[in-house]
Amino acid sequence: MKRKWLLASASCLMLLTLTGCGKTVEEQIDNGVASAQTVFEENPQQPNKTIGKIELYVPSGYDVKESEDLNNLIITQGNESYILFVNYYEKEDSNLHYELLKNDPSKTIIKEETVEFDGAFGFSAVVEYDKEQFELIVSSGGVKMSTISEDKNIDQKLVDMMTVVRSVKIVEDKE
């Protein structure tokens, strides 16, 4: 009996310790935005999927679903869904998505960071969605990816999203 109480006490203490080691939402957001900027400045991943005219890198554990609108792809990981929007007419240095975000009075931006590298413009942003959810947005030129997320793994999601966005290539018709 004494041994069960000791085991239960040790388990509770370990649980409390592990809970205290988790990153706060603010730390996740700060780390995620900074890490997304680093990913933007690195060499893009080589595409491993082709959907219509879009070639892209899809990280392990993620799936791509084709949609009727070839400008929008749905990328999923478990229960999480991401929307990838590709504007074929915007160049790598386009800041259209950033300007749209900044000029939308309905958006409360918690953190955002822009980056220009090698002739390309990009940004990552975390926007308040509601009390317990955030809209995560990353963009590179005319390519934007977004999702609605709770306060878990925001930092890793932003990194994965920027990795996908930076890898997107448009396949030109060969005629």
Side-chain angles (χ1 to χ4, degrees):
M1 181 75 169
K2 194 174 192 180
R3 189 174 194 163
K4 286 183 182 179
W5 278 104
L6 183 61
L7 182 59
S9 297
S11 296
C12 287
L13 183 61
M14 184 182 290
L15 182 62
L16 287 172
T17 303
L18 290 174
T19 303
C21 293
K23 295 179 199 168
T24 66
V25 173
E26 292 78 16
E27 289 173 324
Q28 290 181 57
I29 290 170
D30 289 343
N31 291 340
V33 168
S35 296
Q37 182 173 357
T38 301
V39 169
F40 187 92
E41 294 172 346
E42 294 174 348
N43 288 330
Q45 291 285 335
Q46 289 300 313
N48 59 5
K49 297 268 186 204
T50 302
I51 309 287
K53 292 183 176 186
I54 302 170
E55 290 182 343
L56 71 155
Y57 173 78
V58 180
S60 178
Y62 287 78
D63 292 312
V64 180
K65 295 181 182 176
E66 293 185 49
S67 67
E68 293 176 19
D69 181 357
L70 295 179
N71 291 350
N72 292 304
L73 298 177
I74 306 296
I75 298 176
T76 59
Q77 180 194 35
N79 306 2
E80 303 280 336
S81 293
Y82 302 80
I83 298 172
L84 180 71
F85 174 75
V86 179
N87 184 335
Y88 295 96
Y89 303 107
E90 293 296 318
K91 304 221 182 296
E92 275 191 290
D93 64 351
S94 171
N95 65 355
L96 174 68
H97 295 298
Y98 181 68
E99 291 300 321
L100 290 172
L101 173 65
K102 292 295 283 185
N103 293 321
D104 186 344
S106 70
K107 303 277 187 185
T108 302
I109 299 171
I110 295 171
K111 177 118 180 150
E112 46 117 348
E113 189 79 38
T114 62
V115 60
E116 292 182 58
F117 181 76
D118 207 18
F121 175 85
F123 76 93
S124 55
V126 177
V127 176
E128 186 177 283
Y129 187 74
D130 64 27
K131 277 188 164 188
E132 296 180 15
Q133 294 182 317
F134 305 91
E135 181 179 9
L136 310 180
I137 305 167
V138 300
S139 177
S140 176
V143 180
K144 179 179 101 171
M145 189 171 187
S146 63
T147 189
I148 304 300
S149 178
E150 292 182 355
D151 61 356
K152 294 179 180 73
N153 303 319
I154 290 172
D155 45 357
Q156 187 59 51
K157 290 174 187 175
L158 286 167
V159 167
D160 290 348
M161 290 167 65
M162 186 61 83
T163 301
V164 171
V165 163
R166 286 293 286 160
S167 74
V168 171
K169 295 178 183 174
I170 308 302
V171 180
E172 299 296 325
D173 289 330
K174 297 173 184 157
E175 292 182 28

PDB file of all heavy atoms in Angstrom, residues 83-115:
ATOM      1  N   ILE A  83      -4.598  25.828 -45.450  1.00  0.00           N
ATOM      2  CA  ILE A  83      -4.961  26.238 -46.803  1.00  0.00           C
ATOM      3  C   ILE A  83      -3.735  26.852 -47.449  1.00  0.00           C
ATOM      4  O   ILE A  83      -3.136  27.781 -46.899  1.00  0.00           O
ATOM      5  CB  ILE A  83      -6.120  27.245 -46.804  1.00  0.00           C
ATOM      6  CG1 ILE A  83      -7.358  26.603 -46.202  1.00  0.00           C
ATOM      7  CG2 ILE A  83      -6.393  27.738 -48.227  1.00  0.00           C
ATOM      8  CD1 ILE A  83      -8.511  27.560 -45.988  1.00  0.00           C
ATOM      9  N   LEU A  84      -3.366  26.331 -48.600  1.00  0.00           N
ATOM     10  CA  LEU A  84      -2.257  26.871 -49.386  1.00  0.00           C
ATOM     11  C   LEU A  84      -2.864  27.573 -50.585  1.00  0.00           C
ATOM     12  O   LEU A  84      -3.545  26.954 -51.397  1.00  0.00           O
ATOM     13  CB  LEU A  84      -1.316  25.752 -49.841  1.00  0.00           C
ATOM     14  CG  LEU A  84      -0.115  26.200 -50.664  1.00  0.00           C
ATOM     15  CD1 LEU A  84       0.885  26.947 -49.784  1.00  0.00           C
ATOM     16  CD2 LEU A  84       0.557  25.013 -51.316  1.00  0.00           C
ATOM     17  N   PHE A  85      -2.620  28.878 -50.672  1.00  0.00           N
ATOM     18  CA  PHE A  85      -3.137  29.692 -51.766  1.00  0.00           C
ATOM     19  C   PHE A  85      -1.970  30.102 -52.644  1.00  0.00           C
ATOM     20  O   PHE A  85      -0.975  30.634 -52.161  1.00  0.00           O
ATOM     21  CB  PHE A  85      -3.853  30.936 -51.234  1.00  0.00           C
ATOM     22  CG  PHE A  85      -4.286  31.877 -52.320  1.00  0.00           C
ATOM     23  CD1 PHE A  85      -5.377  31.581 -53.118  1.00  0.00           C
ATOM     24  CD2 PHE A  85      -3.575  33.040 -52.575  1.00  0.00           C
ATOM     25  CE1 PHE A  85      -5.766  32.445 -54.141  1.00  0.00           C
ATOM     26  CE2 PHE A  85      -3.958  33.907 -53.580  1.00  0.00           C
ATOM     27  CZ  PHE A  85      -5.063  33.602 -54.369  1.00  0.00           C
ATOM     28  N   VAL A  86      -2.104  29.855 -53.949  1.00  0.00           N
ATOM     29  CA  VAL A  86      -1.054  30.219 -54.901  1.00  0.00           C
ATOM     30  C   VAL A  86      -1.640  31.194 -55.910  1.00  0.00           C
ATOM     31  O   VAL A  86      -2.570  30.866 -56.639  1.00  0.00           O
ATOM     32  CB  VAL A  86      -0.494  28.975 -55.622  1.00  0.00           C
ATOM     33  CG1 VAL A  86       0.582  29.373 -56.615  1.00  0.00           C
ATOM     34  CG2 VAL A  86       0.046  27.961 -54.620  1.00  0.00           C
ATOM     35  N   ASN A  87      -1.089  32.404 -55.927  1.00  0.00           N
ATOM     36  CA  ASN A  87      -1.470  33.416 -56.905  1.00  0.00           C
ATOM     37  C   ASN A  87      -0.420  33.376 -58.008  1.00  0.00           C
ATOM     38  O   ASN A  87       0.710  33.831 -57.809  1.00  0.00           O
ATOM     39  CB  ASN A  87      -1.543  34.802 -56.260  1.00  0.00           C
ATOM     40  CG  ASN A  87      -2.027  35.865 -57.215  1.00  0.00           C
ATOM     41  OD1 ASN A  87      -1.887  35.746 -58.431  1.00  0.00           O
ATOM     42  ND2 ASN A  87      -2.587  36.917 -56.665  1.00  0.00           N
ATOM     43  N   TYR A  88      -0.785  32.830 -59.143  1.00  0.00           N
ATOM     44  CA  TYR A  88       0.152  32.624 -60.247  1.00  0.00           C
ATOM     45  C   TYR A  88       0.700  33.936 -60.803  1.00  0.00           C
ATOM     46  O   TYR A  88       1.732  33.946 -61.448  1.00  0.00           O
ATOM     47  CB  TYR A  88      -0.529  31.857 -61.388  1.00  0.00           C
ATOM     48  CG  TYR A  88      -0.927  30.455 -61.023  1.00  0.00           C
ATOM     49  CD1 TYR A  88      -2.225  30.165 -60.603  1.00  0.00           C
ATOM     50  CD2 TYR A  88      -0.013  29.425 -61.106  1.00  0.00           C
ATOM     51  CE1 TYR A  88      -2.590  28.871 -60.268  1.00  0.00           C
ATOM     52  CE2 TYR A  88      -0.374  28.124 -60.779  1.00  0.00           C
ATOM     53  CZ  TYR A  88      -1.657  27.857 -60.365  1.00  0.00           C
ATOM     54  OH  TYR A  88      -2.012  26.589 -60.034  1.00  0.00           O
ATOM     55  N   TYR A  89       0.011  35.029 -60.576  1.00  0.00           N
ATOM     56  CA  TYR A  89       0.379  36.302 -61.201  1.00  0.00           C
ATOM     57  C   TYR A  89       1.285  37.176 -60.336  1.00  0.00           C
ATOM     58  O   TYR A  89       1.772  38.197 -60.798  1.00  0.00           O
ATOM     59  CB  TYR A  89      -0.892  37.082 -61.575  1.00  0.00           C
ATOM     60  CG  TYR A  89      -1.774  36.264 -62.491  1.00  0.00           C
ATOM     61  CD1 TYR A  89      -2.946  35.702 -62.023  1.00  0.00           C
ATOM     62  CD2 TYR A  89      -1.396  36.015 -63.809  1.00  0.00           C
ATOM     63  CE1 TYR A  89      -3.743  34.928 -62.856  1.00  0.00           C
ATOM     64  CE2 TYR A  89      -2.183  35.235 -64.643  1.00  0.00           C
ATOM     65  CZ  TYR A  89      -3.352  34.704 -64.159  1.00  0.00           C
ATOM     66  OH  TYR A  89      -4.134  33.923 -64.976  1.00  0.00           O
ATOM     67  N   GLU A  90       1.492  36.787 -59.092  1.00  0.00           N
ATOM     68  CA  GLU A  90       2.364  37.564 -58.202  1.00  0.00           C
ATOM     69  C   GLU A  90       3.786  37.018 -58.281  1.00  0.00           C
ATOM     70  O   GLU A  90       4.003  35.819 -58.300  1.00  0.00           O
ATOM     71  CB  GLU A  90       1.861  37.501 -56.758  1.00  0.00           C
ATOM     72  CG  GLU A  90       0.541  38.189 -56.545  1.00  0.00           C
ATOM     73  CD  GLU A  90       0.583  39.685 -56.783  1.00  0.00           C
ATOM     74  OE1 GLU A  90       1.555  40.344 -56.360  1.00  0.00           O
ATOM     75  OE2 GLU A  90      -0.362  40.190 -57.417  1.00  0.00           O
ATOM     76  N   LYS A  91       4.730  37.906 -58.276  1.00  0.00           N
ATOM     77  CA  LYS A  91       6.147  37.528 -58.344  1.00  0.00           C
ATOM     78  C   LYS A  91       6.691  37.273 -56.938  1.00  0.00           C
ATOM     79  O   LYS A  91       6.032  37.535 -55.939  1.00  0.00           O
ATOM     80  CB  LYS A  91       6.930  38.647 -59.021  1.00  0.00           C
ATOM     81  CG  LYS A  91       6.394  38.998 -60.396  1.00  0.00           C
ATOM     82  CD  LYS A  91       7.533  39.235 -61.341  1.00  0.00           C
ATOM     83  CE  LYS A  91       7.105  39.646 -62.721  1.00  0.00           C
ATOM     84  NZ  LYS A  91       6.361  38.743 -63.473  1.00  0.00           N
ATOM     85  N   GLU A  92       7.933  36.792 -56.883  1.00  0.00           N
ATOM     86  CA  GLU A  92       8.567  36.457 -55.602  1.00  0.00           C
ATOM     87  C   GLU A  92       8.711  37.658 -54.670  1.00  0.00           C
ATOM     88  O   GLU A  92       8.724  37.502 -53.456  1.00  0.00           O
ATOM     89  CB  GLU A  92       9.960  35.862 -55.833  1.00  0.00           C
ATOM     90  CG  GLU A  92       9.970  34.392 -56.112  1.00  0.00           C
ATOM     91  CD  GLU A  92      11.382  33.855 -56.051  1.00  0.00           C
ATOM     92  OE1 GLU A  92      12.175  34.190 -56.954  1.00  0.00           O
ATOM     93  OE2 GLU A  92      11.687  33.112 -55.092  1.00  0.00           O
ATOM     94  N   ASP A  93       8.830  38.835 -55.242  1.00  0.00           N
ATOM     95  CA  ASP A  93       9.026  40.022 -54.409  1.00  0.00           C
ATOM     96  C   ASP A  93       7.704  40.699 -54.029  1.00  0.00           C
ATOM     97  O   ASP A  93       7.703  41.752 -53.398  1.00  0.00           O
ATOM     98  CB  ASP A  93       9.956  41.023 -55.087  1.00  0.00           C
ATOM     99  CG  ASP A  93       9.381  41.579 -56.389  1.00  0.00           C
ATOM    100  OD1 ASP A  93       8.341  41.068 -56.871  1.00  0.00           O
ATOM    101  OD2 ASP A  93       9.982  42.524 -56.935  1.00  0.00           O
ATOM    102  N   SER A  94       6.582  40.088 -54.350  1.00  0.00           N
ATOM    103  CA  SER A  94       5.269  40.666 -54.059  1.00  0.00           C
ATOM    104  C   SER A  94       5.011  40.698 -52.546  1.00  0.00           C
ATOM    105  O   SER A  94       5.293  39.742 -51.834  1.00  0.00           O
ATOM    106  CB  SER A  94       4.168  39.843 -54.735  1.00  0.00           C
ATOM    107  OG  SER A  94       2.897  40.275 -54.297  1.00  0.00           O
ATOM    108  N   ASN A  95       4.460  41.818 -52.095  1.00  0.00           N
ATOM    109  CA  ASN A  95       4.044  41.911 -50.694  1.00  0.00           C
ATOM    110  C   ASN A  95       2.522  42.060 -50.584  1.00  0.00           C
ATOM    111  O   ASN A  95       2.013  42.560 -49.584  1.00  0.00           O
ATOM    112  CB  ASN A  95       4.769  43.057 -49.990  1.00  0.00           C
ATOM    113  CG  ASN A  95       4.413  44.412 -50.551  1.00  0.00           C
ATOM    114  OD1 ASN A  95       3.689  44.528 -51.542  1.00  0.00           O
ATOM    115  ND2 ASN A  95       4.919  45.461 -49.935  1.00  0.00           N
ATOM    116  N   LEU A  96       1.807  41.614 -51.603  1.00  0.00           N
ATOM    117  CA  LEU A  96       0.349  41.733 -51.646  1.00  0.00           C
ATOM    118  C   LEU A  96      -0.319  41.127 -50.413  1.00  0.00           C
ATOM    119  O   LEU A  96      -1.152  41.759 -49.771  1.00  0.00           O
ATOM    120  CB  LEU A  96      -0.213  41.079 -52.916  1.00  0.00           C
ATOM    121  CG  LEU A  96      -1.742  41.010 -52.996  1.00  0.00           C
ATOM    122  CD1 LEU A  96      -2.327  42.409 -53.151  1.00  0.00           C
ATOM    123  CD2 LEU A  96      -2.179  40.104 -54.129  1.00  0.00           C
ATOM    124  N   HIS A  97       0.038  39.894 -50.070  1.00  0.00           N
ATOM    125  CA  HIS A  97      -0.600  39.229 -48.925  1.00  0.00           C
ATOM    126  C   HIS A  97      -0.312  39.976 -47.627  1.00  0.00           C
ATOM    127  O   HIS A  97      -1.179  40.073 -46.751  1.00  0.00           O
ATOM    128  CB  HIS A  97      -0.142  37.773 -48.804  1.00  0.00           C
ATOM    129  CG  HIS A  97      -0.555  36.925 -49.949  1.00  0.00           C
ATOM    130  ND1 HIS A  97      -1.870  36.685 -50.265  1.00  0.00           N
ATOM    131  CD2 HIS A  97       0.175  36.249 -50.879  1.00  0.00           C
ATOM    132  CE1 HIS A  97      -1.937  35.908 -51.326  1.00  0.00           C
ATOM    133  NE2 HIS A  97      -0.712  35.638 -51.722  1.00  0.00           N
ATOM    134  N   TYR A  98       0.872  40.512 -47.503  1.00  0.00           N
ATOM    135  CA  TYR A  98       1.238  41.269 -46.306  1.00  0.00           C
ATOM    136  C   TYR A  98       0.418  42.555 -46.222  1.00  0.00           C
ATOM    137  O   TYR A  98      -0.119  42.889 -45.153  1.00  0.00           O
ATOM    138  CB  TYR A  98       2.737  41.578 -46.315  1.00  0.00           C
ATOM    139  CG  TYR A  98       3.194  42.334 -45.100  1.00  0.00           C
ATOM    140  CD1 TYR A  98       3.195  41.729 -43.846  1.00  0.00           C
ATOM    141  CD2 TYR A  98       3.627  43.641 -45.201  1.00  0.00           C
ATOM    142  CE1 TYR A  98       3.617  42.424 -42.720  1.00  0.00           C
ATOM    143  CE2 TYR A  98       4.049  44.338 -44.081  1.00  0.00           C
ATOM    144  CZ  TYR A  98       4.050  43.721 -42.845  1.00  0.00           C
ATOM    145  OH  TYR A  98       4.463  44.419 -41.735  1.00  0.00           O
ATOM    146  N   GLU A  99       0.319  43.271 -47.318  1.00  0.00           N
ATOM    147  CA  GLU A  99      -0.458  44.514 -47.332  1.00  0.00           C
ATOM    148  C   GLU A  99      -1.935  44.252 -47.028  1.00  0.00           C
ATOM    149  O   GLU A  99      -2.575  45.019 -46.320  1.00  0.00           O
ATOM    150  CB  GLU A  99      -0.308  45.243 -48.669  1.00  0.00           C
ATOM    151  CG  GLU A  99       1.078  45.812 -48.899  1.00  0.00           C
ATOM    152  CD  GLU A  99       1.489  46.822 -47.846  1.00  0.00           C
ATOM    153  OE1 GLU A  99       0.631  47.630 -47.400  1.00  0.00           O
ATOM    154  OE2 GLU A  99       2.666  46.810 -47.439  1.00  0.00           O
ATOM    155  N   LEU A 100      -2.475  43.166 -47.573  1.00  0.00           N
ATOM    156  CA  LEU A 100      -3.865  42.814 -47.290  1.00  0.00           C
ATOM    157  C   LEU A 100      -4.063  42.551 -45.798  1.00  0.00           C
ATOM    158  O   LEU A 100      -5.069  42.979 -45.207  1.00  0.00           O
ATOM    159  CB  LEU A 100      -4.299  41.605 -48.112  1.00  0.00           C
ATOM    160  CG  LEU A 100      -4.446  41.825 -49.617  1.00  0.00           C
ATOM    161  CD1 LEU A 100      -4.679  40.497 -50.334  1.00  0.00           C
ATOM    162  CD2 LEU A 100      -5.565  42.805 -49.923  1.00  0.00           C
ATOM    163  N   LEU A 101      -3.122  41.849 -45.185  1.00  0.00           N
ATOM    164  CA  LEU A 101      -3.210  41.574 -43.755  1.00  0.00           C
ATOM    165  C   LEU A 101      -3.126  42.868 -42.950  1.00  0.00           C
ATOM    166  O   LEU A 101      -3.951  43.121 -42.071  1.00  0.00           O
ATOM    167  CB  LEU A 101      -2.086  40.628 -43.322  1.00  0.00           C
ATOM    168  CG  LEU A 101      -1.962  40.386 -41.818  1.00  0.00           C
ATOM    169  CD1 LEU A 101      -3.183  39.662 -41.280  1.00  0.00           C
ATOM    170  CD2 LEU A 101      -0.692  39.620 -41.512  1.00  0.00           C
ATOM    171  N   LYS A 102      -2.146  43.693 -43.255  1.00  0.00           N
ATOM    172  CA  LYS A 102      -1.928  44.934 -42.494  1.00  0.00           C
ATOM    173  C   LYS A 102      -3.096  45.920 -42.630  1.00  0.00           C
ATOM    174  O   LYS A 102      -3.369  46.671 -41.702  1.00  0.00           O
ATOM    175  CB  LYS A 102      -0.634  45.617 -42.951  1.00  0.00           C
ATOM    176  CG  LYS A 102       0.630  44.872 -42.607  1.00  0.00           C
ATOM    177  CD  LYS A 102       0.863  44.762 -41.134  1.00  0.00           C
ATOM    178  CE  LYS A 102       1.377  46.076 -40.589  1.00  0.00           C
ATOM    179  NZ  LYS A 102       1.746  46.026 -39.180  1.00  0.00           N
ATOM    180  N   ASN A 103      -3.768  45.901 -43.772  1.00  0.00           N
ATOM    181  CA  ASN A 103      -4.855  46.848 -44.017  1.00  0.00           C
ATOM    182  C   ASN A 103      -6.234  46.316 -43.637  1.00  0.00           C
ATOM    183  O   ASN A 103      -7.229  46.973 -43.902  1.00  0.00           O
ATOM    184  CB  ASN A 103      -4.851  47.286 -45.482  1.00  0.00           C
ATOM    185  CG  ASN A 103      -3.618  48.103 -45.805  1.00  0.00           C
ATOM    186  OD1 ASN A 103      -3.162  48.909 -45.010  1.00  0.00           O
ATOM    187  ND2 ASN A 103      -3.054  47.878 -46.988  1.00  0.00           N
ATOM    188  N   ASP A 104      -6.291  45.131 -43.028  1.00  0.00           N
ATOM    189  CA  ASP A 104      -7.565  44.547 -42.615  1.00  0.00           C
ATOM    190  C   ASP A 104      -7.848  44.930 -41.161  1.00  0.00           C
ATOM    191  O   ASP A 104      -7.222  44.383 -40.240  1.00  0.00           O
ATOM    192  CB  ASP A 104      -7.521  43.028 -42.764  1.00  0.00           C
ATOM    193  CG  ASP A 104      -8.859  42.370 -42.498  1.00  0.00           C
ATOM    194  OD1 ASP A 104      -9.758  43.019 -41.908  1.00  0.00           O
ATOM    195  OD2 ASP A 104      -9.005  41.187 -42.862  1.00  0.00           O
ATOM    196  N   PRO A 105      -8.770  45.861 -40.937  1.00  0.00           N
ATOM    197  CA  PRO A 105      -9.025  46.325 -39.564  1.00  0.00           C
ATOM    198  C   PRO A 105      -9.647  45.251 -38.665  1.00  0.00           C
ATOM    199  O   PRO A 105      -9.639  45.399 -37.446  1.00  0.00           O
ATOM    200  CB  PRO A 105      -9.983  47.503 -39.754  1.00  0.00           C
ATOM    201  CG  PRO A 105     -10.609  47.296 -41.083  1.00  0.00           C
ATOM    202  CD  PRO A 105      -9.624  46.529 -41.917  1.00  0.00           C
ATOM    203  N   SER A 106     -10.147  44.178 -39.243  1.00  0.00           N
ATOM    204  CA  SER A 106     -10.756  43.130 -38.426  1.00  0.00           C
ATOM    205  C   SER A 106      -9.706  42.190 -37.832  1.00  0.00           C
ATOM    206  O   SER A 106     -10.034  41.351 -37.001  1.00  0.00           O
ATOM    207  CB  SER A 106     -11.754  42.322 -39.254  1.00  0.00           C
ATOM    208  OG  SER A 106     -11.085  41.534 -40.214  1.00  0.00           O
ATOM    209  N   LYS A 107      -8.451  42.321 -38.242  1.00  0.00           N
ATOM    210  CA  LYS A 107      -7.384  41.437 -37.766  1.00  0.00           C
ATOM    211  C   LYS A 107      -6.603  42.101 -36.638  1.00  0.00           C
ATOM    212  O   LYS A 107      -6.176  43.243 -36.753  1.00  0.00           O
ATOM    213  CB  LYS A 107      -6.402  41.110 -38.898  1.00  0.00           C
ATOM    214  CG  LYS A 107      -7.036  40.478 -40.124  1.00  0.00           C
ATOM    215  CD  LYS A 107      -7.227  39.015 -39.964  1.00  0.00           C
ATOM    216  CE  LYS A 107      -7.697  38.423 -41.285  1.00  0.00           C
ATOM    217  NZ  LYS A 107      -8.009  37.040 -41.188  1.00  0.00           N
ATOM    218  N   THR A 108      -6.417  41.349 -35.558  1.00  0.00           N
ATOM    219  CA  THR A 108      -5.565  41.798 -34.459  1.00  0.00           C
ATOM    220  C   THR A 108      -4.282  40.986 -34.520  1.00  0.00           C
ATOM    221  O   THR A 108      -4.258  39.808 -34.158  1.00  0.00           O
ATOM    222  CB  THR A 108      -6.266  41.594 -33.101  1.00  0.00           C
ATOM    223  OG1 THR A 108      -7.505  42.305 -33.113  1.00  0.00           O
ATOM    224  CG2 THR A 108      -5.397  42.077 -31.958  1.00  0.00           C
ATOM    225  N   ILE A 109      -3.223  41.623 -35.001  1.00  0.00           N
ATOM    226  CA  ILE A 109      -1.946  40.932 -35.175  1.00  0.00           C
ATOM    227  C   ILE A 109      -1.223  40.882 -33.833  1.00  0.00           C
ATOM    228  O   ILE A 109      -0.981  41.914 -33.208  1.00  0.00           O
ATOM    229  CB  ILE A 109      -1.081  41.648 -36.230  1.00  0.00           C
ATOM    230  CG1 ILE A 109      -1.803  41.651 -37.584  1.00  0.00           C
ATOM    231  CG2 ILE A 109       0.287  40.972 -36.339  1.00  0.00           C
ATOM    232  CD1 ILE A 109      -1.140  42.516 -38.642  1.00  0.00           C
ATOM    233  N   ILE A 110      -0.881  39.674 -33.417  1.00  0.00           N
ATOM    234  CA  ILE A 110      -0.151  39.484 -32.166  1.00  0.00           C
ATOM    235  C   ILE A 110       1.345  39.652 -32.412  1.00  0.00           C
ATOM    236  O   ILE A 110       2.047  40.298 -31.652  1.00  0.00           O
ATOM    237  CB  ILE A 110      -0.448  38.093 -31.568  1.00  0.00           C
ATOM    238  CG1 ILE A 110      -1.922  38.011 -31.187  1.00  0.00           C
ATOM    239  CG2 ILE A 110       0.447  37.815 -30.371  1.00  0.00           C
ATOM    240  CD1 ILE A 110      -2.379  36.641 -30.798  1.00  0.00           C
ATOM    241  N   LYS A 111       1.828  39.056 -33.490  1.00  0.00           N
ATOM    242  CA  LYS A 111       3.256  39.137 -33.838  1.00  0.00           C
ATOM    243  C   LYS A 111       3.373  38.922 -35.333  1.00  0.00           C
ATOM    244  O   LYS A 111       2.695  38.093 -35.906  1.00  0.00           O
ATOM    245  CB  LYS A 111       4.042  38.061 -33.086  1.00  0.00           C
ATOM    246  CG  LYS A 111       5.504  38.003 -33.430  1.00  0.00           C
ATOM    247  CD  LYS A 111       6.331  38.292 -32.236  1.00  0.00           C
ATOM    248  CE  LYS A 111       7.799  38.232 -32.607  1.00  0.00           C
ATOM    249  NZ  LYS A 111       8.585  39.108 -31.820  1.00  0.00           N
ATOM    250  N   GLU A 112       4.270  39.699 -35.942  1.00  0.00           N
ATOM    251  CA  GLU A 112       4.529  39.526 -37.372  1.00  0.00           C
ATOM    252  C   GLU A 112       5.963  39.917 -37.655  1.00  0.00           C
ATOM    253  O   GLU A 112       6.554  40.692 -36.908  1.00  0.00           O
ATOM    254  CB  GLU A 112       3.562  40.360 -38.210  1.00  0.00           C
ATOM    255  CG  GLU A 112       3.408  41.765 -37.713  1.00  0.00           C
ATOM    256  CD  GLU A 112       3.867  42.842 -38.668  1.00  0.00           C
ATOM    257  OE1 GLU A 112       4.527  42.536 -39.664  1.00  0.00           O
ATOM    258  OE2 GLU A 112       3.569  44.002 -38.393  1.00  0.00           O
ATOM    259  N   GLU A 113       6.493  39.336 -38.683  1.00  0.00           N
ATOM    260  CA  GLU A 113       7.875  39.606 -39.074  1.00  0.00           C
ATOM    261  C   GLU A 113       7.974  39.496 -40.587  1.00  0.00           C
ATOM    262  O   GLU A 113       7.487  38.526 -41.164  1.00  0.00           O
ATOM    263  CB  GLU A 113       8.804  38.584 -38.415  1.00  0.00           C
ATOM    264  CG  GLU A 113      10.261  38.866 -38.552  1.00  0.00           C
ATOM    265  CD  GLU A 113      10.746  39.924 -37.576  1.00  0.00           C
ATOM    266  OE1 GLU A 113      10.276  39.937 -36.428  1.00  0.00           O
ATOM    267  OE2 GLU A 113      11.585  40.741 -37.990  1.00  0.00           O
ATOM    268  N   THR A 114       8.573  40.487 -41.208  1.00  0.00           N
ATOM    269  CA  THR A 114       8.794  40.429 -42.652  1.00  0.00           C
ATOM    270  C   THR A 114      10.246  40.075 -42.912  1.00  0.00           C
ATOM    271  O   THR A 114      11.116  40.277 -42.052  1.00  0.00           O
ATOM    272  CB  THR A 114       8.471  41.778 -43.329  1.00  0.00           C
ATOM    273  OG1 THR A 114       9.355  42.767 -42.814  1.00  0.00           O
ATOM    274  CG2 THR A 114       7.028  42.169 -43.107  1.00  0.00           C
ATOM    275  N   VAL A 115      10.498  39.570 -44.096  1.00  0.00           N
ATOM    276  CA  VAL A 115      11.863  39.220 -44.486  1.00  0.00           C
ATOM    277  C   VAL A 115      11.996  39.394 -45.993  1.00  0.00           C
ATOM    278  O   VAL A 115      11.081  39.070 -46.751  1.00  0.00           O
ATOM    279  CB  VAL A 115      12.235  37.787 -44.032  1.00  0.00           C
ATOM    280  CG1 VAL A 115      11.317  36.756 -44.638  1.00  0.00           C
ATOM    281  CG2 VAL A 115      13.677  37.464 -44.332  1.00  0.00           C
TER     282      VAL A 115
END
